[in-house]
Amino acid sequence: MLEGWLCGAASARANGYWFCDFDEDLCGWDLRTISALKWRVWNQANISLSDPLKGPGRDHSTNTVSGNFIYVTKPDNWTTLTADWSSFHSPLLEPTNSTHPCKMVMYTHQFGPRCGGLSVLVAGEQIYPVWERAGSLGDLWVRAEVDFVINSTFQILFVAAIRDREYGGIAIDNIMLSPGCRRSDGKPPKPSWPKPPSHPCTDQLGLYCDFHKDCSRAEDEAQCGDFSYAQGSSGWTDTSIGSQGWMLTTTDTGERYLSIVAAPGHQLTEAQMRTPLLGPSGPACSLSFSYRLIGRNPHIGSVALGVVDSVLGHQPKLWEFSGRTSESAGDWQTQMVYVGVRSHRFQLEFSARTNQLSSESQIAVKDVHFVSCHADYIPSTPTGLSCNFENDLCSWYQDQTDNYDWTQRTGMDHTISVGSSMVVEMWTPSLRGLSGRLLSFPQPATTEKHCLSFFYKLYGPHTGGLNVKLLHADGAEELLCAQLGAHGNKWHEGLCLVSSPLNSYQLVFEAQRLAFDGLVAIDDITFVPGLCSLANMCSFEGQDCGYSSSGAGLWVHQRAGAGNGPETDHTLETKNGFYMVVNTGPDVFPQGRVAILTSPLHTGITRMQCVQFWYHIRGQDSGSLSVYVKHGSEKREKVFTSDISQEDTWRHGHANISSSGNFQMEFEVTGAGGDGTFIAIDDVIFSVQSCAAKGAVCDLEHGLCDWSNTQNSSRDQLDWEVTTASQESRLPTPQEDHSLKTDKGHFLFLPSTPRTPASSKAWLSSPHLPPTHLSCLRFWLYKHGSFGKLRVLRLAFELEHELFTAVEGESSDWARHDINITSQEEFQIIFEGITGSEGVLALDDIELREGMSCSEIITPPPTASPPSNAGGITASIIVAMMLLGSFVAILYFYLRVRQRIKAGLDGPSDVTYEQDSRQAHESTSQSQIYVYDIGPGNEMYAEGSEGTS
């Protein structure tokens, strides 16, 4: 190291050093070059004082805009880059040796995408590089040292590479040569230029390092960083700017490895080394290498592998390790890292930092190999796109242009519960960005339709969504199906019909992240020719699910806002969603005309099932919607009808259906001749249970009954979610539900965690309810910790009327709340949860009774939890004691009555008898019950009591 060099130019020259800050002259450096691109002496004031993307901003010598430096970039008057390199050189220097070394120190500024790199070469009897630093290093001056031990006269040659990009350039300042760098008056030798690689490599630069041997002796792949080649390790270039760097070492046995050593920089940054530009790469591309971190300290440091995209810049790290692999030199650790598809040229980068540089510790990498990386290589798999993810990803791979990756997780799969599935856990701290995509290998064009079936899970109060897309060869994307928001902690089947793409294509599973509490999972993908079987749920997102239109009118599969129809769909509650709609205006659908939407054929069912759907009727005289079950070719059974119209409102409809034979559902619209009218349906769902009876208790064991979460972002940000205590391990919940009083029972809950902002809202909505002179809402509420707030609202004509509020205070076990409600207009009940800092709200056994007060409801006896053996023994003893006590009491009563009867027969007495007015108070628990009377003006009258469940 050269000490005290920057104490000033005068002192440097006085000590025999050759120092140049370019403020007075060029100090003997020659900027002449045969390239059209020239180095020039500049200062920032001459370049720009207003544009931060032009020039280094200041010189290094004086740290001012008036200080000089030499600089090269694409000239402003060049529309295209006519030359992509430039050079300058030193005067002729005397030969050097180890006793009279020549050392050079300089500061470089390599900034912006125009910066391709900077090299220092020796021009003696041969021309060869001795130092290089590729790419952009950021908006800063970086110190560098170069040693020259040359046995002939030579010149120092600087070569800069400039790209035809938006901004940036390369600057050099403060070049200092040691006294061992002596000028020569002799004649320079005629150097021999290095031989270029053989044809066609010199003609097509894109063939260099593309993972395919294009040259006869593989010269195009020989120095790309793959240790399989003799010069492969030399393809890694140290790009460190700090006090640590990478160095290539070859041992006496011929082993080559790259390790961390001291470097001349001043910044406390990681050591970095990069490959040349590689690729593009294919979907099977991986990097294999060995590494070790050895030393006495268990925290040696860290090492990581990353990607620098030539267009997109630095990408998220692919792999990292910190700590120690062993205490002393021993076995190397082998690692395989997935690189995946990279559509642009890119560089791989190893970055590392050791906590202490010493001879007793080491961070090193060796045996680097590119595995199956050529862009055209598509491995064949026996199952095609079908995959259960038990062993690997089959014919699927991670998209490298998204924000995060899917994870193969064991212990949560659809097939065998303990197997594997592909998961995105939104609460993972390392996740960044909005979407993660899983792509299929490219598929050839086909004339056949295919069915993509899979199982998915969307779980959590803020889980986001899942999109399935078709990616065409030209980059265009087509939505096949979509789901959004909480779907419960269980697996659902998804079916997407893939029509006949005319060109090659890929399938995409896209997880959408909205916040930090939830997960998206997929499993058991199958992809087979033919139509899909009938799905239990159709949201009409991207497809019509096989529904067909007939009659005088036309049902249209339409995006929200694309024509006469609802402004938003029901599934996503956005203008990007789809639904089925009939324009019932008189110009296209006169009064009395009929349009029928017919489902695909359903298999006969042996017991009652429930069909649920959402419908939207808008405008005066819009017509009516009727729903039929069609048995065979003739017989139809009406199961639902409505002609209620209200502005911009989706309504919930349901009906019980049964058919011993195959059947179809028909949604029939009859026009009434109103202007600007329409009728739409969305989210048709078939469930194996019958529909919830009117006024029945919703115990959540088979779903939300008629209640639903809203996806309207103007209303709320979160969802109420259904789970059980036994299924949930990450979010706070009650230890058991209220209905079954076990950890297997279901309930609705809204957790408050540090990952979710406080005061975030979740709305759970009832169906639209008719005006009522008196109705009762009964529910059970659990609250724990800093849970925030629960409000129960009556929503009528978009106006909120608060019926009940539970605020933070004492936590409580399950407590029943009764609210008597009156309303002179149609309304909905809303459970509005508002998050706190850390706690949970939970709901169970929700009941809405129309036409009666809560005091009129006969409460059934409580459901006792299954007793343990110990409890059974204890209960048996108590029952036996109670029976014995009862026998003694009856015997005593009998004897006393007999005595009194006898006394009565003997004569009159002054003893009187009164019926005991006290009622026995029996309870199996100490649950709280609260009753609220809500009058026409929404006044609240509350009465609290200890009561039974």
Side-chain angles (χ1 to χ4, degrees):
M1 298 287 289
L2 302 178
E3 305 295 340
W5 275 19
L6 298 181
C7 298
S11 61
R13 293 189 182 101
N15 292 327
Y17 292 97
W18 173 18
F19 174 84
C20 191
D21 59 11
F22 303 103
D23 285 333
E24 296 178 4
D25 53 36
L26 293 177
C27 315
W29 291 95
D30 192 341
L31 302 188
R32 292 176 296 174
T33 178
I34 61 174
S35 173
L37 194 64
K38 308 292 184 183
W39 288 88
R40 299 184 186 278
V41 177
W42 292 91
N43 60 47
Q44 188 62 39
N46 292 333
I47 297 174
S48 175
L49 294 178
S50 59
D51 191 343
L53 300 181
K54 292 184 176 181
R58 56 185 173 81
D59 75 327
H60 182 265
S61 307
T62 64
N63 197 31
T64 65
V65 297
S66 59
N68 287 349
F69 46 81
I70 56 174
Y71 185 61
V72 63
T73 188
K74 175 184 173 181
D76 292 337
N77 59 352
W78 285 15
T79 56
T80 59
L81 194 65
T82 58
D84 61 1
W85 67 276
S86 184
S87 65
F88 70 94
H89 58 274
S90 71
L92 186 66
L93 302 176
E94 291 286 349
T96 65
N97 53 49
S98 57
T99 58
H100 296 85
C102 172
K103 292 180 177 289
M104 179 177 70
V105 171
M106 61 181 172
Y107 286 84
T108 69
H109 190 285
Q110 298 174 221
F111 173 65
R114 279 185 188 169
C115 177
L118 180 66
S119 299
V120 176
L121 295 85
V122 168
E125 293 179 351
Q126 292 183 330
I127 296 179
Y128 56 92
V130 293
W131 177 93
E132 57 186 345
R133 186 171 278 158
S136 172
L137 304 180
D139 192 7
L140 74 167
W141 287 97
V142 178
R143 188 174 186 267
E145 284 186 17
V146 185
D147 291 346
F148 301 93
V149 179
I150 313 297
N151 59 9
S152 66
T153 56
F154 68 98
Q155 291 174 286
I156 300 173
L157 179 65
F158 283 85
V159 179
I162 298 297
R163 298 170 179 160
D164 196 2
R165 298 292 296 279
E166 298 83 5
Y167 63 90
I170 300 175
I172 298 177
D173 201 3
N174 292 137
I175 303 177
M176 182 175 288
L177 298 176
S178 71
C181 305
R182 298 166 297 170
R183 298 197 186 191
S184 173
D185 295 329
K187 293 182 178 181
K190 294 182 178 181
S192 59
W193 291 87
K195 295 181 179 180
S198 58
H199 184 82
C201 304
T202 54
D203 293 341
Q204 302 181 52
L205 295 178
L207 298 181
Y208 282 98
C209 303
D210 68 345
F211 310 113
H212 184 266
K213 299 175 184 178
D214 296 289
C215 297
S216 58
R217 291 180 293 176
E219 298 93 335
D220 55 322
E221 305 297 319
Q223 298 185 48
C224 300
D226 192 321
F227 280 40
S228 302
Y229 299 92
Q231 298 298 317
S233 56
S234 64
W236 291 92
T237 301
D238 181 37
T239 58
S240 307
I241 62 174
S243 58
Q244 297 180 13
W246 289 91
M247 183 178 74
L248 176 64
T249 300
T250 303
T251 66
D252 294 338
T253 61
E255 181 183 46
R256 294 168 296 158
Y257 63 84
L258 295 148
S259 61
I260 300 298
V261 296
H266 293 157
Q267 288 82 6
L268 299 177
T269 56
E270 294 178 321
Q272 297 173 333
M273 63 175 177
R274 295 180 187 176
T275 64
L277 284 171
L278 306 172
S281 60
C285 181
S286 297
L287 186 75
S288 171
F289 59 93
S290 298
Y291 69 98
R292 68 183 182 191
L293 290 81
I294 56 175
R296 294 181 179 178
N297 188 340
H299 305 288
I300 297 297
S302 61
V303 60
L305 177 67
V307 172
V308 183
D309 190 284
S310 61
V311 176
L312 304 175
H314 275 88
Q315 300 298 292
K317 290 181 179 179
L318 301 179
W319 169 86
E320 56 186 328
F321 175 87
S322 62
R324 180 179 66 184
T325 57
S326 63
E327 187 172 345
S328 58
D331 294 337
W332 292 77
Q333 303 295 314
T334 301
Q335 187 69 41
M336 179 77 77
V337 177
Y338 181 70
V339 177
V341 172
R342 305 283 169 174
S343 56
H344 307 129
R345 299 272 279 176
F346 64 94
Q347 295 170 282
L348 291 174
E349 177 183 79
F350 275 109
S351 59
R353 180 164 183 80
T354 180
N355 295 325
Q356 183 178 5
L357 282 168
S358 73
S359 59
E360 297 180 349
S361 64
Q362 184 189 65
I363 298 178
V365 173
K366 71 169 186 174
D367 295 338
V368 183
H369 302 289
F370 304 126
V371 180
S372 304
C373 282
H374 191 255
D376 294 335
Y377 175 69
I378 306 295
S380 60
T381 57
T383 59
L385 298 188
S386 299
C387 191
N388 61 11
F389 301 110
E390 293 303 321
N391 299 314
D392 53 32
L393 303 190
C394 309
S395 297
W396 299 83
Y397 67 92
Q398 309 277 3
D399 187 354
Q400 302 303 321
T401 63
D402 57 3
N403 305 118
Y404 50 80
D405 283 344
W406 292 71
T407 302
Q408 192 174 5
R409 176 176 162 183
T410 302
M412 191 197 73
D413 84 325
H414 168 259
T415 317
I416 55 176
S417 298
V418 296
S420 299
S421 60
M422 295 302 294
V423 181
V424 174
E425 294 181 319
M426 303 302 176
W427 41 63
T428 303
S430 60
L431 250 61
R432 299 288 185 272
L434 298 178
S435 66
R437 290 156 59 102
L438 201 64
L439 275 64
S440 74
F441 288 167
Q443 301 297 302
T446 179
T447 57
E448 284 187 292
K449 292 184 177 181
H450 284 70
C451 180
L452 176 68
S453 69
F454 56 95
F455 286 85
Y456 68 93
K457 183 182 283 192
L458 283 171
Y459 170 66
H462 211 172
T463 187
L466 174 66
N467 295 329
V468 183
K469 297 180 176 180
L470 185 73
L471 177 62
H472 294 277
D474 61 0
E477 294 185 357
E478 176 185 343
L479 181 68
L480 298 179
C481 45
Q483 296 295 335
L484 182 67
H487 280 57
N489 198 356
K490 62 181 180 179
W491 291 97
H492 304 267
E493 184 180 19
L495 297 170
C496 298
L497 182 66
V498 180
S499 297
S500 312
L502 300 178
N503 297 300
S504 62
Y505 65 95
Q506 293 174 270
L507 297 175
V508 183
F509 283 98
E510 179 182 73
Q512 286 187 312
R513 183 184 191 178
L514 298 180
F516 304 95
D517 266 330
L519 64 82
V520 179
I522 59 172
D523 199 8
D524 293 340
I525 298 173
T526 60
F527 187 65
V528 294
L531 300 177
C532 294
S533 61
L534 193 60
N536 291 328
M537 177 173 60
C538 182
S539 65
F540 299 107
E541 297 306 320
Q543 58 181 335
D544 59 15
C545 304
Y547 283 70
S548 59
S549 177
S550 61
L554 180 65
W555 283 90
V556 178
H557 182 226
Q558 180 174 295
R559 185 188 293 271
N564 188 24
E567 294 183 3
T568 64
D569 74 322
H570 178 263
T571 312
L572 308 179
E573 296 192 43
T574 70
K575 291 187 176 181
N576 293 322
F578 289 82
Y579 45 71
M580 299 297 296
V581 64
V582 178
N583 182 351
T584 56
D587 51 339
V588 295
F589 199 68
Q591 183 175 2
R593 283 199 177 180
V594 172
I596 301 174
L597 182 68
T598 305
S599 75
L601 191 66
H602 290 253
T603 304
I605 51 181
T606 57
R607 61 178 181 176
M608 194 73 72
Q609 293 190 359
C610 183
V611 58
Q612 302 181 68
F613 53 92
W614 292 82
Y615 66 99
H616 196 301
I617 302 177
R618 182 172 179 180
Q620 187 174 2
D621 297 327
S622 51
S624 62
L625 172 68
S626 299
V627 181
Y628 294 87
V629 178
K630 183 180 179 182
H631 308 275
S633 59
E634 298 295 336
K635 183 181 176 183
R636 294 202 311 169
E637 175 189 358
K638 182 185 288 188
V639 294
F640 175 89
T641 188
S642 176
D643 59 2
I644 301 174
S645 174
Q646 188 170 332
E647 297 295 313
D648 296 327
T649 300
W650 284 99
R651 297 173 176 276
H652 181 257
H654 63 82
N656 284 316
I657 59 174
S658 64
S659 178
S660 58
N662 294 342
F663 68 96
Q664 293 173 286
M665 300 301 301
E666 291 188 342
F667 295 85
E668 182 179 280
V669 168
T670 302
D675 289 327
T677 58
F678 59 78
I679 297 178
I681 66 164
D682 201 359
D683 293 329
V684 182
I685 304 170
F686 293 86
S687 59
V688 295
Q689 292 83 26
S690 60
C691 300
K694 190 173 184 180
V697 176
C698 181
D699 61 10
L700 304 165
E701 296 306 319
H702 302 293
L704 293 178
C705 307
D706 292 341
W707 298 83
S708 62
N709 283 296
T710 179
Q711 301 304 323
N712 189 338
S713 59
S714 65
R715 295 282 196 194
D716 69 0
Q717 301 80 41
L718 308 176
D719 287 333
W720 289 89
E721 184 59 291
V722 178
T723 193
T724 68
S726 63
Q727 288 180 295
E728 182 50 61
S729 60
R730 187 177 292 271
L731 299 171
T733 68
Q735 294 183 353
E736 59 184 25
D737 76 324
H738 176 262
S739 310
L740 306 180
K741 295 182 173 59
T742 73
D743 62 356
K744 302 293 192 297
H746 292 79
F747 49 81
L748 276 162
F749 80 117
L750 179 66
S752 296
T753 72
R755 298 180 295 272
T756 300
S759 302
S760 298
K761 295 181 180 180
W763 270 34
L764 184 74
S765 306
S766 74
H768 289 81
L769 302 169
T772 179
H773 71 282
L774 184 61
S775 292
C776 173
L777 173 67
R778 173 177 287 181
F779 60 94
W780 288 84
L781 171 65
Y782 175 94
K783 51 187 181 179
H784 179 75
S786 178
F787 59 83
K789 181 191 293 187
L790 173 71
R791 296 202 306 158
V792 181
L793 309 174
R794 179 174 66 87
L795 182 68
F797 296 111
E798 299 300 310
L799 298 177
E800 300 174 10
H801 306 274
E802 187 174 287
L803 307 181
F804 165 82
T805 303
V807 296
E808 288 184 11
E810 246 181 76
S811 301
S812 74
D813 204 348
W814 289 106
R816 196 183 84 198
H817 296 267
D818 293 350
I819 303 175
N820 288 322
I821 302 171
T822 62
S823 181
Q824 297 178 357
E825 57 272 321
E826 185 183 63
F827 67 101
Q828 289 176 279
I829 299 296
I830 308 294
F831 285 99
E832 181 187 70
I834 304 174
T835 56
S837 57
E838 196 158 6
V840 64
L841 284 168
L843 299 171
D844 201 359
D845 292 333
I846 305 171
E847 182 179 2
L848 183 62
R849 294 286 189 93
E850 299 180 32
M852 64 173 64
S853 70
C854 294
S855 61
E856 297 178 85
I857 300 176
I858 300 175
T859 304
T863 303
S865 57
S868 64
N869 290 338
I873 294 171
T874 303
S876 299
I877 295 172
I878 293 173
V879 170
M881 293 178 65
M882 291 177 63
L883 290 173
L884 180 60
S886 300
F887 175 78
V888 173
I890 292 170
L891 180 59
Y892 175 79
F893 179 76
Y894 170 76
L895 293 176
R896 288 293 304 270
V897 170
R898 182 179 180 185
Q899 182 180 3
R900 288 182 179 179
I901 292 174
K902 182 179 180 181
L905 294 174
D906 292 340
S909 172
D910 58 358
V911 179
T912 60
Y913 303 93
E914 293 181 3
Q915 184 177 0
D916 193 348
S917 61
R918 293 172 298 173
Q919 296 182 351
H921 181 77
E922 299 175 354
S923 175
T924 60
S925 68
Q926 294 299 315
S927 300
Q928 296 286 326
I929 297 177
Y930 300 90
V931 181
Y932 308 88
D933 287 318
I934 310 300
N938 297 307
E939 300 88 352
M940 180 183 297
Y941 306 94
E943 177 184 351
S945 66
E946 295 282 346
T948 68
S949 58

